[in-house]
Amino acid sequence: MELNSIKPAEGSKKPRRRVGRGIGSGLGKTAGRGHKGQKSRAGGYHKVGFEGGQMPLQRRLPKRGFKSHQQKFNAEITLTALERLGAAEVDLLALKQAGLVGELAKNVKVIKRGELTVKVALQGIGATAGARAAIEAAGGSIA
């Protein structure tokens, strides 16, 4: 193989369409744009979602609810996940390193799902009332 013999894969490159180059090309005169109208003109086109003056779909439909921008900073962890982690002391950094919460998480809360049998001390992590009771019943603590 030599540098001057390298070619792209067969069918990966297509010559660009040259419009307005005479009758024989098949794209002469109106150059595939049809006759008259907004779409035939240079620079003339509608904005995204424009429906010819009809009330656009995104304005016809009712709006409900909202999505919190803080959601990416909040995370949940279950009792089962804590059990599997098997660490005596658990803080935000330990959860991030174990891959149980996302890198952006700032607030973590333990929710009561599953069972906890090991003693776990939580540092800077919240817990629901049920999860708190389960952790303390297993001999753990929440700081």
Side-chain angles (χ1 to χ4, degrees):
M1 179 188 287
E2 297 191 6
L3 287 176
N4 64 350
S5 67
I6 296 174
K7 286 190 167 58
E10 194 65 39
S12 67
K13 298 280 187 185
K14 239 167 73 173
R16 71 184 180 89
R17 177 179 290 186
R18 296 183 70 220
V19 297
R21 293 294 184 277
I23 296 169
S25 70
L27 288 166
K29 194 181 170 241
T30 54
R33 287 171 169 260
H35 291 276
K36 296 187 185 173
Q38 190 179 24
K39 291 200 272 189
S40 73
R41 317 217 183 268
Y45 211 64
H46 55 76
K47 64 184 179 203
V48 175
F50 185 67
E51 297 181 22
Q54 171 178 295
M55 186 62 71
L57 185 66
Q58 79 270 18
R59 290 190 58 199
R60 285 198 303 262
L61 298 176
K63 305 289 178 274
R64 290 203 59 220
F66 90 114
K67 189 171 182 180
S68 173
H69 293 291
Q70 298 302 311
Q71 195 169 13
K72 61 184 169 218
F73 301 117
N74 298 329
E76 291 177 349
I77 183 170
T78 62
L79 291 175
T80 310
L82 271 182
E83 175 96 33
R84 248 188 266 127
L85 186 61
E89 286 201 12
V90 177
D91 62 348
L92 185 59
L93 189 63
L95 292 175
K96 283 183 181 180
Q97 286 172 346
L100 293 172
V101 296
E103 285 298 317
L104 291 175
K106 291 180 182 171
N107 306 316
V108 179
K109 199 172 214 180
V110 180
I111 59 172
K112 186 182 181 227
R113 184 170 299 148
E115 297 293 320
L116 184 69
T117 55
V118 294
K119 184 177 173 182
V120 176
L122 299 180
Q123 300 289 326
I125 295 173
T128 61
R132 181 182 290 270
I135 291 166
E136 289 169 353
S141 62
I142 299 170

